[in-house]
Amino acid sequence: MSARRVCLAFAAAIAVASMPFASRAADPQEIVIGSILPLTGPSAQTGAGLRTAQTLAADLVNGHVSYPLPMVGKSGLPHLGHARIKLVFADSQGKPDQARAAAEQLITQEHAVALIGTYASSTTATASQVAERYGIPFLNPDSSAPSLTARGLKWFFRTTPNDATFAENFYQFFADLNRTKKIAVKKVAVVGEDGLFGTGAGDAEEEIGKRRGFTIVTRVAYPATTTEVNAEVQKVKAAAPDVVMMASYAPDALLFMRGFKDQGILLQGILAQDAGFIDPGFVKTEGKDAEGVFTREVFSLDIKHRNKAVPLIDQLFRLRFGDKPLDGNTARDIMGVLVLADAIDRAGSTKPDAIRTALQNTNIPGILTLMPWKQIKFDAQGQNVGGVGIIEQIQDGKYETVWPFDVAVKAPIWPMPAWKR
């Protein structure tokens, strides 16, 4: 059977598993997981992808076709009578106050046994404080501000690596380029939105850069809701950096790319903390000007040989999301739902304490993830200690893994190409 026919057969199987409750005979119990995402506002397109990814993950758990991923194909949660998981979504609008209200609603009105979300670090911070107050487990698959796991919270768990890990990756990349290609990077500009994501990433990039002997020539912060960045771009130009490290969501990432081009800023490299730079619309909008941009990542389709489920899950996702491929954001959210379902099943209970204990005891081998991770295992602060990063570069309109060199599929192009006119 061809890969596409296998994919379609699998899609049909999980479609049956996800039929409405009333249409299936002898349905087992449904267990509600509350999901908070930016479904409207500037990050709505990203939020739509994350919602599709999480829904697919829930259908994989509730379905009966097995692949090498946690909880996939077990027809629900075996230790809870094959109860099905049901995601109930709430909109953060990308706003911390709205995320706080969404968490309150999901816990008190929808009776969610656990929460997942919320993409932006600033909204994750407020929503997880509500979960902490109610004593409800909160699984964060996709927010990377290092401070999120430094708050001493009892109920917060994060599967993705944080921005300190990714910042270390950037500087190790420079060291490896210097060792192999005799390329020297000395001057770094740090640019990011002024929320928890951009601030946390920038702090890590600045601190690690100085410790490694680099010169941080400027640090630029701006509101993620801004509609123009001329002053910020001029500040970068005046500092004349070798490279710029960016932490931006989709709208502001596009504003800076246009500004760098319009002001003719010549850079050896743009290195992004993914987010807006891996948004499905980034390459489509930037076209040839996207060529050569680097971004840290946690997932790439070009290293799919590590887990045979990757191409199938990618095909299933494309069927649901307008032929857009899995990316780091959507792959992380699929894994987040699977990890949470695995914990609820091992808990054998919907009681918060039991689910929290199961999350603390999580130990999933890296080979059973979509990522090139070593494992999923949480430390005392709720941070996954097995997460690692990779670096991709946009080459010929595609994201190609270029670092670490032992898993890279393409050599990095350095410096990045000049702007297209």
Side-chain angles (χ1 to χ4, degrees):
M1 188 179 291
S2 69
R4 180 167 179 79
R5 290 184 65 186
V6 169
C7 177
L8 292 173
F10 187 37
I14 63 174
V16 170
S18 59
M19 287 171 63
F21 186 85
S23 66
R24 304 176 67 225
D27 275 311
Q29 176 191 0
E30 284 188 324
I31 294 174
V32 173
I33 296 173
S35 175
I36 304 167
L37 294 172
L39 300 176
T40 60
S43 295
Q45 186 176 12
T46 301
L50 300 181
R51 178 174 179 155
T52 302
Q54 291 188 9
T55 303
L56 172 58
D59 288 346
L60 291 167
V61 171
N62 294 332
H64 56 269
V65 180
S66 182
Y67 281 88
L69 292 168
M71 293 308 300
V72 172
K74 297 183 182 297
S75 300
L77 308 182
H79 292 104
L80 285 164
H82 290 280
R84 302 167 70 239
I85 62 171
K86 176 184 177 183
L87 292 172
V88 176
F89 293 94
D91 184 11
S92 73
Q93 302 175 20
K95 301 175 180 176
D97 286 349
Q98 186 60 34
R100 182 186 296 111
E104 189 92 27
Q105 173 209 337
L106 290 168
I107 293 171
T108 62
Q109 298 179 31
E110 301 293 344
H111 307 295
V113 303
L115 299 184
I116 189 169
T118 66
Y119 180 58
S121 293
S122 57
T123 54
T124 295
T126 56
S128 58
Q129 288 287 358
V130 175
E132 187 77 8
R133 176 156 49 87
Y134 281 94
I136 296 294
F138 192 107
L139 193 290
N140 168 236
D142 48 21
S143 302
S144 54
S147 61
L148 288 171
T149 49
R151 297 174 294 167
L153 300 189
K154 179 180 176 182
W155 299 89
F156 185 78
F157 297 86
R158 172 165 60 183
T159 46
T160 185
N162 66 34
D163 290 326
T165 298
F166 297 132
E168 285 279 6
N169 292 163
F170 284 161
Y171 291 106
Q172 185 59 49
F173 178 50
F174 296 152
D176 289 348
L177 281 176
N178 185 34
R179 176 174 52 81
T180 59
K181 297 179 178 296
K182 308 302 179 186
I183 291 169
V185 173
K186 297 180 180 177
K187 298 184 295 181
V188 177
V190 175
V191 179
E193 58 92 32
D194 63 4
L196 206 53
F197 165 51
T199 302
D203 288 347
E205 291 162 352
E206 184 171 1
E207 189 274 324
I208 295 169
K210 289 179 178 176
R211 174 159 45 84
R212 283 175 168 260
F214 291 83
T215 301
I216 308 301
V217 293
T218 190
R219 175 86 183 261
V220 177
Y222 62 90
T225 54
T226 188
T227 55
E228 67 89 16
V229 294
N230 289 336
E232 290 83 359
V233 171
Q234 288 172 3
K235 191 173 180 180
V236 172
K237 186 175 183 178
D242 297 322
V243 301
V244 177
M245 294 185 181
M246 303 286 304
S248 307
Y249 296 115
D252 34 320
L254 296 175
L255 286 173
F256 273 96
M257 290 293 290
R258 190 177 308 133
F260 291 156
K261 178 180 179 179
D262 289 347
Q263 297 201 30
I265 297 177
L266 298 177
L267 297 164
Q268 292 187 40
I270 296 173
L271 293 96
Q273 295 275 5
D274 74 7
F277 290 84
I278 63 165
D279 185 89
F282 182 77
V283 172
K284 183 178 180 181
T285 302
E286 290 298 314
K288 293 292 185 183
D289 286 325
E291 289 293 302
V293 169
F294 295 92
T295 180
R296 56 84 164 170
E297 256 296 7
V298 291
F299 168 83
S300 178
L301 285 172
D302 59 21
I303 52 176
K304 57 190 176 187
H305 55 276
R306 293 187 72 258
N307 187 325
K308 66 180 183 182
V310 170
L312 175 67
I313 303 303
D314 176 56
Q315 286 297 318
L316 289 171
F317 182 76
R318 288 172 189 256
L319 286 172
R320 296 184 178 208
F321 200 53
D323 202 31
K324 295 183 177 66
L326 274 180
D327 58 31
N329 290 331
T330 48
R332 280 188 299 190
D333 273 43
I334 287 174
M335 285 308 308
V337 171
L338 300 184
V339 169
L340 191 50
D342 173 71
I344 297 171
D345 181 62
R346 283 187 290 105
S349 167
T350 57
K351 293 182 178 177
D353 278 328
I355 297 172
R356 176 176 175 268
T357 298
L359 282 167
Q360 288 176 310
N361 294 329
T362 296
N363 190 0
I364 297 173
I367 196 64
L368 295 183
T369 75
L370 296 172
M371 323 299 184
W373 292 352
K374 298 174 182 175
Q375 63 184 142
I376 298 177
K377 185 175 184 178
F378 300 107
D379 65 15
Q381 294 181 315
Q383 174 65 48
N384 173 24
V385 298
V388 297
I390 60 175
I391 294 177
E392 294 183 325
Q393 186 178 34
I394 300 172
Q395 298 183 9
D396 295 326
K398 298 189 298 183
Y399 293 90
E400 306 280 8
T401 301
V402 297
W403 186 90
F405 294 152
D406 60 343
V407 300
V409 298
K410 290 288 183 71
I413 297 173
W414 192 277
M416 62 180 289
W419 302 108
K420 304 300 179 185
R421 297 295 177 185

